[in-house]
Amino acid sequence: MLIAGFPAGAWGTNCYLVAPAAGEECVIIDPGHQAAQGVEETLKKHRLKPVAVVLTHGHIDHVASVVPVCGAHDVPAWIHPDDRYMMSDPGKALGRSIGMPLMGELTVGEPDDVRELTDGATLKLAGLELTVRHAPGHTKGSVTFGSPEAADIPPVFFSGDLLFAGSIGRTDLPGGDMAEMLDSLARVCLPLDDSTVVLSGHGPQTTIGRERATNPYLREVAAGQGDGGTAAPRRGM
């Protein structure tokens, strides 16, 4: 499996291109702010052909380049229905009033083809199988994507802004909820094998085993304490 990622834009949001191998079809995960050029460069470098964009959630730092990327390649975008409104009204998702400026260079809206994600679904795209898990807490429509173990790599978990190296996503924006976040961590993250590679929406990669041992939120959830409010600072928009 080929996974090529890069941090994009003002928020350093990780965008990933995933394919069975170089020269094949691929899926693009979270093309955020100013990600379009990086996407095109990565496609050219690895000779990839995109077939879909899939989104971990609807915050503008993860979806800002969806329209140009989907339009350039005539591919659909997949998003959970609870976050779909954010593509057209990103200010509402950030607690801003309608019409309030939000980085004026951004062109918001939906691509021509939008498809909705459901919990437990398996997306069979570009020769890949991505398992969708609904994981609210950061937003109501946050999801993760899991890829099974392959011959050359351990299982891979695209966690969006649910789980980071040493931290979790923030819950203080509209739609955020700490109780839901803790439930998602327990339900979605804890059952994963320690060898699972975590590729998150921001920051470096990690593993479930490392986070189970060191992440204060995941440790508290595993211990059944259920309150991560005083642990490490949370990240993401």
Side-chain angles (χ1 to χ4, degrees):
M1 181 186 294
L2 169 68
I3 302 175
F6 61 92
W11 295 282
T13 303
N14 291 325
C15 176
Y16 301 101
L17 286 77
V18 189
E24 299 194 23
E25 294 181 333
C26 74
V27 171
I28 301 168
I29 301 176
D30 288 354
H33 182 233
Q34 298 179 344
Q37 181 177 344
V39 166
E40 296 305 318
E41 291 172 352
T42 306
L43 291 172
K44 182 177 181 180
K45 177 180 179 180
H46 298 287
R47 310 183 315 281
L48 300 173
K49 175 180 173 54
V51 299
V53 168
V54 298
L55 303 167
T56 61
H57 63 289
H59 279 160
I60 192 68
D61 60 325
H62 289 252
V63 307
S65 295
V66 169
V67 170
V69 169
C70 288
H73 300 281
D74 191 25
V75 298
W78 293 77
I79 191 167
H80 192 277
D82 288 348
D83 275 14
R84 182 169 177 172
Y85 75 94
M86 297 185 192
M87 289 194 287
S88 298
D89 192 358
K92 186 176 180 180
L94 302 179
R96 298 168 182 253
S97 61
I98 295 174
M100 193 173 186
L102 179 68
M103 301 191 71
E105 78 277 11
L106 299 178
T107 300
V108 299
E110 292 190 356
D112 292 338
D113 187 354
V114 179
R115 307 181 188 185
E116 295 186 346
L117 298 167
T118 57
D119 184 41
T122 298
L123 298 181
K124 296 183 178 181
L125 301 167
L128 306 166
E129 290 191 3
L130 298 175
T131 301
V132 180
R133 294 301 311 272
H134 186 208
H138 182 59
T139 67
K140 294 298 183 187
S142 288
V143 302
T144 65
F145 301 106
S147 179
E149 183 175 3
D152 54 340
I153 60 170
V156 177
F157 180 61
F158 297 95
S159 64
D161 285 6
L162 172 64
L163 180 68
F164 301 127
S167 191
I168 59 173
R170 59 190 293 182
T171 58
D172 59 328
L173 293 172
D177 186 292
M178 179 55 80
E180 289 185 332
M181 175 67 80
L182 296 174
D183 176 73
S184 292
L185 291 170
R187 180 173 44 82
V188 177
C189 297
L190 286 183
L192 298 175
D193 189 84
D194 281 351
S195 67
T196 302
V197 176
V198 179
L199 298 177
S200 61
H202 302 269
Q205 76 176 50
T206 183
T207 66
I208 287 294
R210 183 178 300 132
E211 297 312 300
R212 199 190 309 275
T214 64
N215 187 306
Y217 295 93
L218 207 58
R219 289 182 65 184
E220 289 190 13
V221 170
Q225 297 177 11
D227 179 9
T230 60
R234 288 164 276 156
R235 299 204 300 251
M237 171 170 281

